[in-house]
Each structure stands twice: as C-alpha cells, then as structure tokens.
C-alpha cells in the first residue's frame, strides 16, 4: 500500500510540473488556475493577433487555443490561431503582458487589453485608463525606461517586487 501511495504522489507531482510551469506566473501576466489545455490563460483570453495587429479587443475561445511557453492563448478563429502559432513573438504583448508603465516603476501589474497601444509593431498593455492616459503624455520616454528596466525584473516573482 505504501508503494502505491508513493507512486501516486510522484505521478501527481510530475503531472503538475508538466502542466503548470512555475515560471509562467512570474514572467507572464496570466490568470490563476489552468485552462482546459492545462496552462494558465494569457492576455485575458483576448485574441492576441487581432489585438496586436488592429488594436481590436476580440474575445477568443477555448476552441482555438494555442499553448506557447507554458501559457494558453485563446483566439477568435482558427485562422488567427494559426497565424499566432507560426510566429508568436510577433503577436505577444511586451513584458509578458504586464503593464508597460508599471515596468518603469519596477513592478508587474496587470496589463488590460482594453488599454493597449501598438508602437513600431509591438503591443504594449496598461493597467487602466488613468495609467494609459499618463503613458500617452510621453510614450517614447516611458517605453524606453520600460525596455531598460524589464531585464532586471523579468525573472522575478510578482510578490518580490
């Protein structure tokens, strides 16, 4: 009986480590808990292709899920899912989907797809309307500062910041 309990415990721990990587919560802005794909959800379930290409907030569905780097992304269509799968780095938001303005403060705050900007083909998310308005006052300076600070916080947990 003891052997079966030990075997079961090892199997559960192995499965947990495969389906929910510990880095995802620290390097990507994700929902808590896994999706049906076994990974946490990125970009609030919004189609990252529609958002990063047209700045359109289009809800994705679990029917069109792509898992990249331990994070599940939902898409509005099979076509946008296929586009994402071919080149995820082209469509993913900068800073793991965390608020670009918060990164300038050395923080990882939620990036809300409703407050997004595309600059030089890159997608940036912001935590709320007030922060988005503040960002718009001096986009270039804020984006430069975020780019400079991100490497120092990228691999740190949200709680440690």
């Amino acid at each position: 009986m003891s052997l079966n309990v030990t075997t079961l415990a090892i199997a559960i721990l192995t499965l947990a480590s495969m389906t929910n990587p510990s880095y995802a919560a620290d390097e990507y802005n994700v929902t808590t808990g896994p999706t049906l794909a076994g990974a946490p959800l990125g970009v609030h379930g919004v189609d990252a292709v529609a958002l990063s290409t047209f700045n359109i907030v289009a809800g994705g569905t679990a029917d069109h899920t792509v898992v990249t780097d331990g994070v599940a992304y939902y898409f509005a269509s099979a076509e946008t899912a296929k586009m994402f799968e071919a080149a995820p780095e082209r469509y993913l938001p900068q800073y793991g989907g965390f608020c670009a303005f918060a990164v300038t403060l050395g923080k990882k705050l939620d990036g809300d797809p409703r407050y997004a900007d595309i600059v030089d083909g890159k997608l940036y998310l912001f935590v709320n309307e007030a922060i988005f308005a503040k960002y718009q006052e001096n986009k270039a300076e804020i984006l430069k500062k975020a780019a400079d600070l991100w490497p120092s916080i990228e691999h740190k947990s949200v709680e440690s910041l």
Side-chain angles (χ1 to χ4, degrees):
M1 177 110 171
S2 176
L3 180 60
N4 289 339
V5 171
T6 302
T7 303
L8 180 60
I10 290 170
I12 290 170
L13 290 173
T14 301
L15 181 60
S17 69
M18 289 171 39
T19 60
N20 191 15
S22 60
Y23 63 81
D26 294 337
E27 296 178 19
Y28 298 96
N29 182 26
V30 297
T31 60
T32 56
T35 61
L36 290 176
L41 182 63
V43 194
H44 292 241
V46 168
D47 186 320
V49 173
L51 187 61
S52 63
T53 306
F54 304 109
N55 207 358
I56 295 173
V57 178
T61 68
D63 292 338
H64 306 293
T65 301
V66 176
V67 177
T68 298
D69 212 10
V71 178
Y73 297 93
Y74 288 174
F75 296 90
S77 69
E79 181 180 327
T80 55
K82 188 182 290 185
M83 290 170 66
F84 179 85
E85 202 164 25
E89 66 286 344
R90 180 175 177 189
Y91 304 107
L92 287 173
Q94 301 300 297
Y95 315 122
F98 291 103
C99 173
F101 191 91
V103 170
T104 69
L105 305 173
K107 301 289 183 190
K108 291 181 176 178
L109 300 180
D110 183 35
D112 188 329
R114 295 176 299 167
Y115 308 104
D117 195 18
I118 302 166
V119 177
D120 297 329
K122 295 181 180 179
L123 176 64
Y124 299 92
L125 303 181
F126 300 87
V127 69
N128 60 37
E129 185 176 3
I131 294 299
F132 187 63
K134 184 101 172 129
Y135 152 76
Q136 290 178 319
E137 292 172 9
N138 197 345
K139 291 181 182 186
E141 182 180 318
I142 290 168
L143 293 180
K144 180 177 181 347
K145 188 173 181 183
D148 291 345
L149 284 174
W150 178 246
S152 68
I153 69 169
E154 180 179 7
H155 303 294
K156 292 185 178 177
S157 70
V158 171
E159 295 79 20
S160 72
L161 301 173

